[in-house]
Amino acid sequence: MQTNRNESMASRLNMIWNFIGHYKYLIVIVVGVALVGVLDENSFVKRVQYELQISDLKTEIQKYDERNMEDSRRLKELSRNHKAVERIAREQYFMKTDDEDIFVLSEDLPEVPKTEENETTE
């Protein structure tokens, strides 16, 4: 019985070896493409992730460039026009001259009353 198992095992190994020998180039190509395409540091999956990240960063750079241009324009306006400095001081920092009064209006949301929970009630 032991010899039948050994012969069976040997025939299976022989079949596997013949299969590998017959399709060795195909197996090497498939394994190589799998390694390069999925598992490698420079794989196709990583490349797509990097392209998406680059796209997001370019969008962010564009947003910061626009903000920089707007801030540069405002800075030039402030350096040329002293009235603009007064206007920004009044609007953003609520500053006033000696003969002015400032009223700040805000829309406060009504507070939601808290319900008290009694531990003894069921």
Side-chain angles (χ1 to χ4, degrees):
M1 189 166 221
Q2 185 71 14
T3 57
N4 284 341
R5 283 188 184 170
N6 288 341
E7 289 175 9
S8 174
M9 182 73 91
S11 68
R12 285 185 188 168
L13 288 176
N14 195 18
M15 283 178 38
I16 292 172
W17 187 254
N18 287 336
F19 179 80
I20 290 173
H22 186 58
Y23 294 108
K24 61 186 167 193
Y25 297 114
L26 181 64
I27 292 171
V28 168
I29 290 171
V30 168
V31 169
V33 168
L35 285 174
V36 172
V38 179
L39 302 175
D40 191 33
E41 175 84 17
N42 300 317
S43 68
F44 297 124
V45 175
K46 290 279 189 183
R47 181 169 172 83
V48 169
Q49 289 175 349
Y50 291 148
E51 289 296 327
L52 292 173
Q53 188 177 8
I54 287 171
S55 174
D56 291 342
L57 290 174
K58 283 182 179 179
T59 304
E60 195 171 333
I61 287 171
Q62 183 180 5
K63 180 181 74 171
Y64 286 127
D65 282 342
E66 290 172 2
R67 184 186 295 176
N68 184 25
M69 289 175 56
E70 177 65 25
D71 289 343
S72 297
R73 184 191 61 78
R74 291 180 84 197
L75 184 62
K76 285 180 185 176
E77 180 184 349
L78 289 175
S79 65
R80 291 184 199 157
N81 189 357
H82 293 289
K83 294 285 185 184
V85 174
E86 289 179 15
R87 180 178 51 84
I88 289 175
R90 287 186 176 139
E91 289 175 1
Q92 292 183 358
Y93 301 108
F94 303 113
M95 293 183 174
K96 65 180 186 86
T97 59
D98 291 335
D99 60 344
E100 289 181 331
D101 292 328
I102 294 180
F103 298 98
V104 179
L105 305 174
S106 66
E107 296 179 13
D108 293 332
L109 297 175
E111 289 189 31
V112 178
K114 291 184 178 179
T115 58
E116 294 184 25
E117 293 183 18
N118 193 348
E119 295 177 5
T120 58
T121 59
E122 293 180 16

